[in-house]
Amino acid sequence: MAIRSRTPSSGGSQSMFKKRSTQSLSPTMASAASYLSAVSQADARARTARSPTPTPTATPALSFASTTSSEPTTDIDELDEDDEKFISPLSVPFRPPTSEQVFNTVHTEFGHCASEEFRLTSAHKPGAPIHGHVDKDPPYYILLSTYISYLVLICLGHMRDFLGKRFHPKAYRHLMPHDGYASLNSDFDSFYTRRLKVRMDECFAQPVTGVAGRTIVLLDRVSLDYNRTQVPTGNKTRALNISSYNYLGFAQARGGCADVVEEAIKRYGISTCGSRLEGGTSELHTVAEELVARFVGAEDALISSMGFATNSTIIPALVGKGCLVISDELNHSSIRFGVRQSGAHVRMFRHNDMRSLESLLREVISQGQPKTHRPWKKIMLIVEGLYSMEGTMVNLPAIMNLKESYKFYLFVDEAHSIGAIGPNGRGIADYFGIDPRSIDILMGTFTKSFGAAGGYIAGKKDVIDRLRVKGYSGTYAEAMSIPLLSQVIASMASIMGVTTPTVSSSNSSSTIAIRSHAANGNGHLTDDEYHHPGPVSSKILPSWMTLPPELSSGEEGRTRLRRLAFNSFYLHRGLDKLGFITYGHPASPIVPLILFNPGKMMMFHRMMKDREVPIVVVVVAYPATPLITTRVRFCVSASHTKEDIDCVLRACDEIGDIMDLKHGLAPADRWSIDEICDRAVELVSLPEA
């Protein structure tokens, strides 16, 4: 059912995480569990082929029996790894087959886990402290060796440049003036790329195929010229994927959402007609914008075809000359680009430091505009709900208190927090229990939790109406394509749940009633009232869009949210207890593990990928992070099982000892890896320090 790292002496059971073979699976299985797994997969195909109505491919109410069926089966030789519902036999208990216990999801895309112990609600506990970002320093010898490694790199690199330009000028032609032309690149500006990144390109831009779900298939490659070029070997490796932003696991090739996308393509086609104002707007655009507004609890929303463009084209429509933007120092580059384009004055405060923010607010309000000291036309604070490199969460309650006192506008970028945190998956405001209408602008993307692409801006209706006219993305950008729109609608409705018009949509005593115009299945607008947070009326969705019961009820969406919360807490606190230095909030699905020395990046990446159970990770270094805080960034998903996180922790424990990475807790305060795995539920339930 799940994966676990093993030593060679642990037996010869097969795993789906292995080098790809061109032969079919052998009918001679290594264990009773693996045999039963293959029988179940063949049986599911046979029953699907015989059934007049296909079995829904989205995970229903989950149970542990992912390997069982009592009905007749087809020949096991017909199993194919590309169409794989194969269950890793590691740690799968042998149980008698029962016909009621059959999973419909592909286990390689979304892990089967039925235990309610491995669930957690993502919500801030009243009275719990809200900590800002805290840099954790390693021992001095780690910092010293890191600086020395950079010093050696710089000295040797410039020496090679000096000698190379004289003895191998053809290799440095792009860095030297020639034939009356200036050099294409500056040798100083490109030094980091040429002398460090190229040597570590094995870690980056790995070619993959298939769905980036619980597992992913890598196209193996080698380099014979120090990573200047990469040569495919023709082999494939299926690895545990702990590197994708697939937070809720909706990036699936099969399932209820995939069926909706397929139906949308049949009805509308796959492309758009151009920009929104040139005929690209369809019924689905109206439905998607209405659904997004209800999902986040705003009056109206505007969608864009690209997340980066959402910030960079909308911010100039919100502020301009004579306005002030106060920005967190670790805000995303799309925010920085948008602010520069706007012409507004910008000031930054220390990351998530409320004292620094309040001090800056007092200064800028009292001093006014530079030179003239006139009052600012507008002051807008821009922060992120969840910071992608640090894993930290904005202190929204403190910011709301400052907003009440200093009267500024608030722009929250929820690219990573929307759909990933909060008891209802509604983002940072949901996590802290704050009215989303008190936030002036809510921005988010569809590329993470919703398994699509694009972004949105939500807020008051008069503001959104103005942005439709003044924002560049609405006038000049391409409209979102039909497959993306249908994926967004289906996944978002799966999180919210869908009710019939006769059923009350209020599910909480603290709901927000939003009166708005809703698009029905024919594209006509009708008055409707929605209570936030809660399920959406079926009148909003297109009449042809039918979700399986497990998705339309919202049950699977809630399960995915709770699985993600458990996995995030478990991995974060497990790494802490092993003694690693990590950053971020334990509720964050982004878990940075600090390596410090850049030379350890490729070693960590290679040792994780070369294990018996390969694991794919993302390593990040300068300039995306400060020079000495090189890190590996784990991205947790609801598609991971508890055993998957066990596997990652065991791998980190072994590699951390080899590479000397455990500089967090003192040895006396650490837990053993077996203790962490056995006491996972207790570990996740520990109160915040």
Side-chain angles (χ1 to χ4, degrees):
M1 177 203 69
I3 62 173
R4 185 171 294 169
S5 179
R6 300 172 288 134
T7 60
S9 61
S10 61
S13 59
Q14 300 275 336
S15 172
M16 65 179 163
F17 301 100
K18 62 183 183 300
K19 297 293 181 184
R20 178 76 180 277
S21 172
T22 59
Q23 298 178 351
S24 300
L25 295 179
S26 171
T28 305
M29 296 296 172
S31 67
S34 60
Y35 176 81
L36 200 58
S37 170
V39 169
S40 173
Q41 123 96 29
D43 167 58
R45 286 187 184 172
R47 287 184 288 104
T48 301
R50 293 192 300 267
S51 175
T53 57
T55 305
T57 55
T59 307
L62 299 173
S63 71
F64 251 116
S66 57
T67 64
T68 59
S69 174
S70 62
E71 299 186 20
T73 65
T74 59
D75 189 355
I76 301 175
D77 286 334
E78 296 178 6
L79 299 180
D80 178 20
E81 287 180 321
D82 277 337
D83 189 26
E84 189 169 22
K85 293 182 182 178
F86 182 68
I87 313 301
S88 176
L90 303 177
S91 72
V92 177
F94 181 85
R95 295 191 178 113
T98 61
S99 59
E100 293 80 17
Q101 297 175 330
V102 177
F103 276 103
N104 296 314
T105 49
V106 183
H107 191 59
T108 54
E109 294 182 2
F110 194 88
H112 301 160
C113 176
S115 176
E116 287 297 322
E117 286 186 319
F118 307 138
R119 307 282 192 270
L120 187 69
T121 299
S122 174
H124 178 69
K125 297 178 181 178
I130 304 175
H131 301 292
H133 177 66
V134 178
D135 288 324
K136 303 174 185 177
D137 294 326
Y140 283 116
Y141 77 90
I142 295 294
L143 293 176
L144 184 61
S145 64
T146 300
Y147 282 118
I148 290 176
S149 67
Y150 277 112
L151 180 61
V152 172
L153 170 71
I154 292 171
C155 293
L156 293 180
H158 282 298
M159 184 182 299
R160 291 192 63 183
D161 285 350
F162 178 81
L163 298 176
K165 290 178 181 179
R166 285 153 179 80
F167 295 101
H168 300 284
K170 289 185 178 180
Y172 291 84
R173 186 180 179 87
H174 62 293
L175 300 176
M176 301 165 55
H178 62 89
D179 301 330
Y181 292 97
S183 60
L184 283 175
N185 303 103
S186 165
D187 56 354
F188 181 81
D189 292 341
S190 64
F191 181 84
Y192 174 85
T193 304
R194 292 183 294 106
R195 293 301 176 201
L196 183 61
K197 182 182 179 298
V198 169
R199 298 305 177 93
M200 299 186 298
D201 266 348
E202 175 187 334
C203 306
F204 310 116
Q206 298 178 87
V208 299
T209 182
V211 174
R214 170 180 171 258
T215 67
I216 195 168
V217 177
L218 305 177
L219 304 179
D220 296 337
R221 57 183 182 171
V222 295
S223 177
L224 304 177
D225 54 5
Y226 302 103
N227 287 332
R228 288 185 177 87
T229 59
Q230 300 282 345
V231 181
T233 65
N235 295 327
K236 299 178 182 178
T237 302
R238 183 174 288 279
L240 177 63
N241 180 22
I242 195 78
S243 61
S244 298
Y245 290 144
N246 184 25
Y247 295 144
L248 291 182
F250 279 116
Q252 295 177 230
R254 280 163 285 185
C257 294
D259 293 340
V260 168
V261 173
E262 183 178 357
E263 179 63 24
I265 293 174
K266 291 178 181 178
R267 288 177 174 268
Y268 299 93
I270 197 168
S271 63
T272 57
C273 302
S275 70
R276 294 291 302 277
L277 298 184
E278 294 173 354
T281 302
S282 71
E283 160 200 358
L284 291 185
H285 289 93
T286 305
V287 172
E289 290 181 343
E290 177 66 28
L291 192 63
V292 167
R294 294 177 179 228
F295 187 83
V296 302
E299 291 182 8
D300 199 2
L302 168 67
I303 61 175
S304 174
S305 58
M306 182 180 177
F308 189 99
T310 306
N311 276 333
S312 59
T313 62
I314 291 297
I315 291 177
L318 291 170
V319 292
K321 187 176 180 180
C323 299
L324 172 67
V325 172
I326 300 178
S327 177
D328 189 288
E329 65 178 352
L330 296 185
N331 274 346
H332 192 262
S333 60
S334 62
I335 297 175
R336 294 167 177 256
F337 185 82
V339 173
R340 286 199 299 267
Q341 292 292 102
S342 70
H345 195 76
V346 59
R347 296 288 299 272
M348 291 193 298
F349 65 97
R350 288 195 297 272
H351 175 53
N352 223 11
D353 189 328
M354 296 300 105
R355 291 185 178 179
S356 173
L357 173 58
E358 184 171 14
S359 175
L360 179 59
L361 284 168
R362 290 179 176 178
E363 176 189 341
V364 297
I365 292 175
S366 62
Q367 296 297 320
Q369 298 185 40
K371 297 182 180 180
T372 64
H373 299 288
R374 293 176 180 175
W376 297 101
K377 294 180 180 178
K378 187 188 303 179
I379 298 178
M380 186 168 69
L381 171 66
I382 303 181
V383 294
E384 294 186 43
L386 195 62
Y387 291 85
S388 59
M389 286 298 169
E390 309 298 317
T392 49
M393 195 178 296
V394 66
N395 189 343
L396 190 59
I399 287 181
M400 298 309 297
N401 290 335
L402 292 176
K403 186 175 186 292
E404 182 68 24
S405 300
Y406 294 96
K407 309 301 180 184
F408 53 81
Y409 292 100
L410 178 59
F411 181 114
V412 178
D413 180 337
E414 293 210 84
H416 290 268
S417 56
I418 193 67
I421 60 174
N424 303 287
R426 311 301 171 88
I428 191 70
D430 187 30
Y431 181 84
F432 286 110
I434 293 175
D435 185 351
R437 294 176 302 177
S438 60
I439 301 173
D440 300 289
I441 297 293
L442 288 165
M443 177 270 173
T445 62
F446 305 124
T447 56
K448 281 77 177 178
S449 297
F450 306 104
Y456 68 85
I457 288 286
K460 294 184 180 299
K461 191 177 188 308
D462 56 347
V463 175
I464 301 301
D465 286 341
R466 182 170 177 81
L467 293 178
R468 294 184 196 277
V469 179
K470 291 199 64 178
Y472 297 137
S473 61
T475 307
Y476 300 108
E478 292 294 322
M480 284 183 66
S481 66
I482 294 300
L484 292 177
L485 286 169
S486 53
Q487 171 70 18
V488 168
I489 295 171
S491 58
M492 195 169 286
S494 300
I495 300 172
M496 302 172 73
V498 182
T499 63
T500 59
T502 58
V503 179
S504 174
S505 59
S506 175
N507 69 338
S508 172
S509 59
S510 58
T511 59
I512 304 169
I514 301 176
R515 189 81 177 180
S516 61
H517 295 287
N520 61 16
N522 298 320
H524 302 299
L525 296 179
T526 59
D527 286 337
D528 186 51
E529 186 172 341
Y530 165 71
H531 298 268
H532 178 83
V536 64
S537 172
S538 59
K539 294 189 298 182
I540 299 298
L541 306 182
S543 57
W544 56 264
M545 184 176 292
T546 303
L547 294 172
E550 60 272 8
L551 291 178
S552 60
S553 66
E555 179 62 31
E556 184 173 331
R558 289 187 291 270
T559 299
R560 292 185 184 225
L561 287 167
R562 297 180 67 220
R563 282 184 62 170
L564 174 63
F566 177 89
N567 291 341
S568 302
F569 269 82
Y570 180 34
L571 180 59
H572 196 287
R573 289 182 169 171
L575 290 173
D576 285 344
K577 286 297 183 181
L578 286 174
F580 292 98
I581 293 179
T582 62
Y583 285 169
H585 195 284
S588 166
I590 301 168
V591 186
L593 187 157
I594 311 303
L595 303 177
F596 295 103
N597 195 307
K600 295 181 179 180
M601 284 176 53
M602 191 166 64
M603 287 294 296
F604 191 96
H605 173 270
R606 182 177 295 176
M607 292 178 73
M608 292 289 277
K609 194 173 74 171
D610 290 345
R611 293 177 63 81
E612 185 176 7
V613 176
I615 303 173
V616 179
V617 299
V618 170
V619 288
V620 189
Y622 177 85
T625 67
L627 194 65
I628 64 168
T629 57
T630 295
R631 66 198 63 181
V632 54
R633 188 178 57 170
F634 297 110
C635 298
V636 183
S637 171
S639 64
H640 295 131
T641 64
K642 190 264 185 185
E643 287 77 12
D644 294 340
I645 307 301
D646 287 346
C647 180
V648 174
L649 289 172
R650 290 183 183 277
C652 290
D653 182 52
E654 296 175 13
I655 297 173
D657 289 332
I658 296 172
M659 297 179 60
D660 189 25
L661 298 176
K662 298 181 179 180
H663 306 295
L665 291 178
D669 298 327
R670 299 174 189 172
W671 291 14
S672 68
I673 183 60
D674 291 329
E675 186 179 10
I676 290 173
C677 294
D678 293 339
R679 300 172 61 185
V681 177
E682 177 187 347
L683 181 63
V684 167
S685 302
L686 291 176
E688 295 184 31

